[in-house]
Amino acid sequence: MCCAAPRRAERGRGRGSGRSRAGQQRSAAMSRRVVRQSKFRHVFGQPVKADQMYEDIRVSKVTWDSSFCAVNPKFLAIIVESGGGGAFMVLPLAKTGRVDKNHPLVTGHTAPVLDIDWCPHNDNVIASASEDTTVMVWQIPDYVPVRSITEPVVTLEGHSKRVGIICWHPTARNVLLSAGCDNLVILWNVGTGEMLLALEDMHTDLIYNVGWNRNGSLLVTTCKDKKVRVIDPRKQTVVAEITKPHDGARPIRAIFMADGKIFTTGFSKMSERQLGLWDLKNFEEPIALQEMDTSNGVLLPFYDADSSIVYLCGKGDSSIRYFEITDEAPYVHYLNTYSSKEPQRGMGFMPKRGLDVSKCEIARFFKLHERKCEPIVMTVPRKSDLFQDDLYPDTPGPEPALEADEWLSGKDAEPILISLRDGYVPVKNRELKVVKKNILDNKPPPGPRRSHSNADISTPVLDEVLEEIRVLKETVQAQEKRISALEHKLCQFTNGTD
């Protein structure tokens, strides 16, 4: 029975069982030669120095298989322990070292936060999903606020059970996906607060993960019913599905590759962790299926489309394995393993535009420990100080290729790419404006009409109160900016004296 998975892998690559020993040796030699010629063969991982870590963070202890961490070129966000509801912390990337115990949090959920995700088109906007059944979208200021942020820009309500997955659309502005324990996938237009689509009756059990393809035309989902589904969300149809890509009972993960193939992680019947590569043209058989080790931790795959490298991080593991995906057998080539002593509670993955190209950095992880966050830098060793064109092809930038309405009407567009030759400088805070449709303009409120006389009397008073609130908020924001600027000066002064 334990040989079932390897046999399946060979069947996916051809008639492996009848191959001669010489043929197997030739195949092994060829696979070694392919890997050896790769420019990523010698990629190595290295943790940053102690003073560049983020210390004294009470990372959430919630039992949930999400990464608990999200990062972009400006900010690091971590789901943390908090009393009386759910919260996450947002730190400017440069604010390393010990985090003040009174550092403001993002609080608003009434139950633990399960997932967070930065908007790919606005570095100051982050979404959070919670056990309280809601999704909230937040605007994070460039300065460090003095008080906790308690008011989201918009709250999205549509799930009947806890929401464990959120994922922004890769190319369309303000389109956000959420998946809940009600087996429901909802697509939202954050710019209006509207529900665009609800994918009902597609999943019969708990959804483990959801991922977009490169242009956002298809979704791949994994489910407790042991099926991997490829879904066209706008047609609300399942394009392809496979049952039991991995025979074990533990959760499966799936992500799209840039060329449309699907990469999965799961478990064999003998609880050995596996990875698989699948082609939609022949979804029944894997192109590659490899067994790795025996462990309980679900492998979270992180994919860099520019280098075609998949990094596998298991919760509770103390290592990161990485593989290069190519078009030649055996298709999934093991590169190396970054190992450390401490197990990881979660992991953040920096978008390509946030990396240091001058140091040939091709990936940066943010490893969560129990009380700290440790950045880990993946580097290709190169002697030249010049920009390495082969390591840094043009990569998706912060501009959306489509508006939400265009995508919903059936349009698709590839990501708008930018060059990293001169490095990437994050743009200043762009405010997310939510324009709710048909709330007061076109729909009269239900119920009996009130007399106009009362409304006329109360309107000036109401306007006066609202204006005073607005003025006070502006004053507080101005003071927070001033405090943040002074703290920045103090840091520069302290660093200068050191």
Side-chain angles (χ1 to χ4, degrees):
M1 188 177 289
C2 64
C3 297
R7 272 206 305 272
R8 191 177 193 186
E10 287 172 350
R11 197 166 65 242
R13 292 195 292 266
R15 297 180 181 175
S17 57
R19 226 187 285 173
S20 67
R21 183 178 294 274
Q24 289 176 345
Q25 287 173 343
R26 280 199 302 273
S27 174
M30 184 187 74
S31 68
R32 280 199 301 272
R33 191 163 65 250
V34 169
V35 173
R36 200 176 298 121
Q37 289 174 352
S38 168
K39 55 180 170 273
F40 302 112
R41 184 71 187 96
H42 301 291
V43 170
F44 67 97
Q46 203 167 19
V48 298
K49 294 177 181 176
D51 62 349
Q52 293 176 290
M53 297 182 191
Y54 306 84
E55 306 266 4
D56 263 9
I57 298 169
R58 294 170 59 222
V59 177
S60 173
K61 293 186 174 72
V62 172
T63 306
W64 190 254
D65 281 329
S66 76
S67 59
F68 283 15
C69 180
V71 63
N72 70 20
K74 279 187 175 184
F75 299 107
L76 168 67
I78 300 169
I79 301 174
V80 294
E81 288 284 287
S82 78
F88 60 97
M89 177 183 288
V90 176
L91 297 166
L93 272 190
K95 200 171 179 65
T96 54
R98 194 172 297 279
V99 177
D100 191 298
K101 65 178 181 179
N102 295 318
H103 186 89
L105 304 176
V106 181
T107 60
H109 288 288
T110 57
V113 176
L114 299 179
D115 199 12
I116 49 178
D117 195 27
W118 287 104
C119 176
H121 308 127
N122 188 333
D123 287 340
N124 293 77
V125 170
I126 188 170
S128 59
S130 169
E131 281 190 10
D132 67 9
T133 76
T134 68
V135 173
M136 293 183 178
V137 181
W138 309 84
Q139 181 93 31
I140 306 299
D142 283 333
Y143 58 89
V144 179
V146 175
R147 300 164 303 142
S148 289
I149 299 172
T150 57
E151 291 185 22
V153 179
V154 64
T155 301
L156 306 171
E157 297 176 301
H159 289 281
S160 59
K161 293 185 178 178
R162 61 182 178 174
V163 188
I165 300 166
I166 42 172
C167 187
W168 292 90
H169 192 283
T171 62
R173 190 196 308 271
N174 291 339
V175 175
L176 178 65
L177 175 151
S178 64
C181 294
D182 50 8
N183 310 337
L184 183 64
V185 176
I186 299 178
L187 293 164
W188 307 89
N189 182 346
V190 171
T192 62
E194 291 179 299
M195 185 188 297
L196 295 177
L197 297 165
L199 307 181
E200 300 179 82
D201 305 323
M202 287 190 180
H203 300 89
T204 60
D205 211 326
L206 178 69
I207 300 166
Y208 286 141
N209 92 295
V210 183
W212 294 98
N213 66 347
R214 187 167 171 83
N215 68 0
S217 60
L218 296 174
L219 296 170
V220 61
T221 69
T222 61
C223 182
K224 197 174 180 180
D225 63 11
K226 299 184 180 178
K227 289 186 178 181
V228 174
R229 296 170 173 86
V230 177
I231 298 170
D232 184 328
R234 289 167 296 191
K235 293 180 181 176
Q236 302 196 32
T237 57
V238 176
V239 177
E241 71 176 24
I242 183 171
T243 304
K244 283 194 175 182
H246 302 276
D247 292 328
R250 302 273 297 137
I252 299 168
R253 293 271 168 160
I255 55 173
F256 268 107
M257 302 288 98
D259 61 2
K261 292 187 181 74
I262 289 173
F263 183 94
T264 60
T265 65
F267 295 79
S268 71
K269 280 187 178 177
M270 307 302 290
S271 294
E272 291 170 307
R273 295 198 290 194
Q274 297 178 323
L275 59 84
L277 187 65
W278 309 78
D279 193 331
L280 287 180
K281 294 170 187 171
N282 181 19
F283 208 23
E284 291 303 312
E285 292 290 344
I287 301 171
L289 191 65
Q290 297 180 15
E291 291 177 349
M292 291 186 294
D293 59 11
T294 303
S295 177
N296 287 328
V298 176
L299 286 168
L300 306 180
F302 296 92
Y303 176 55
D304 174 20
D306 297 340
S307 61
S308 200
I309 294 177
V310 174
Y311 301 86
L312 299 182
C313 310
K315 271 204 166 183
D317 287 7
S318 54
S319 62
I320 302 171
R321 292 181 183 85
Y322 38 108
F323 301 79
E324 186 176 2
I325 314 297
T326 71
D327 293 329
E328 299 177 45
Y331 306 105
V332 181
H333 306 267
Y334 170 74
L335 290 175
N336 211 335
T337 299
Y338 165 81
S339 296
S340 60
K341 293 178 182 176
E342 297 291 326
Q344 52 230 16
R345 296 279 297 276
M347 195 71 79
F349 187 54
M350 176 67 79
K352 207 59 173 284
R353 56 196 171 91
L355 303 181
D356 187 347
V357 297
S358 67
K359 294 179 180 173
C360 296
E361 180 184 355
I362 63 162
R364 192 188 312 159
F365 288 91
F366 288 74
K367 174 182 173 179
L368 298 187
H369 298 246
E370 196 170 332
R371 298 281 302 191
K372 71 177 179 182
C373 176
E374 174 188 33
I376 297 165
V377 176
M378 297 285 182
T379 306
V380 177
R382 293 277 173 98
K383 291 180 180 177
S384 172
D385 292 332
L386 299 175
F387 179 73
Q388 305 293 307
D389 297 82
D390 62 324
L391 297 183
Y392 302 106
D394 289 355
T395 195
E399 290 303 318
L402 294 169
E403 297 298 324
D405 293 343
E406 291 178 305
W407 178 79
L408 189 62
S409 68
K411 284 187 182 177
D412 290 320
E414 294 297 313
I416 296 175
L417 305 181
I418 58 170
S419 170
L420 298 178
R421 178 173 289 276
D422 300 318
Y424 173 76
V425 179
V427 294
K428 287 192 174 180
N429 190 352
R430 293 186 295 186
E431 189 178 351
L432 171 64
K433 293 183 179 177
V434 179
V435 182
K436 296 200 174 182
K437 296 179 181 176
N438 302 331
I439 290 180
L440 294 175
D441 295 340
N442 300 336
K443 288 187 180 177
R449 289 183 169 238
R450 296 181 180 177
S451 66
H452 287 286
S453 57
N454 288 343
D456 292 342
I457 292 168
S458 62
T459 299
V461 178
L462 181 63
D463 289 345
E464 192 176 319
V465 170
L466 290 172
E467 177 61 20
E468 188 173 351
I469 290 172
R470 187 189 65 77
V471 171
L472 285 170
K473 279 187 175 179
E474 284 183 358
T475 305
V476 170
Q477 285 177 353
Q479 298 293 350
E480 286 178 341
K481 285 181 183 176
R482 178 65 181 150
I483 290 168
S484 184
L486 290 171
E487 282 182 340
H488 184 64
K489 280 187 180 178
L490 184 62
C491 286
Q492 287 179 323
F493 176 75
T494 308
N495 292 340
T497 54
D498 289 346

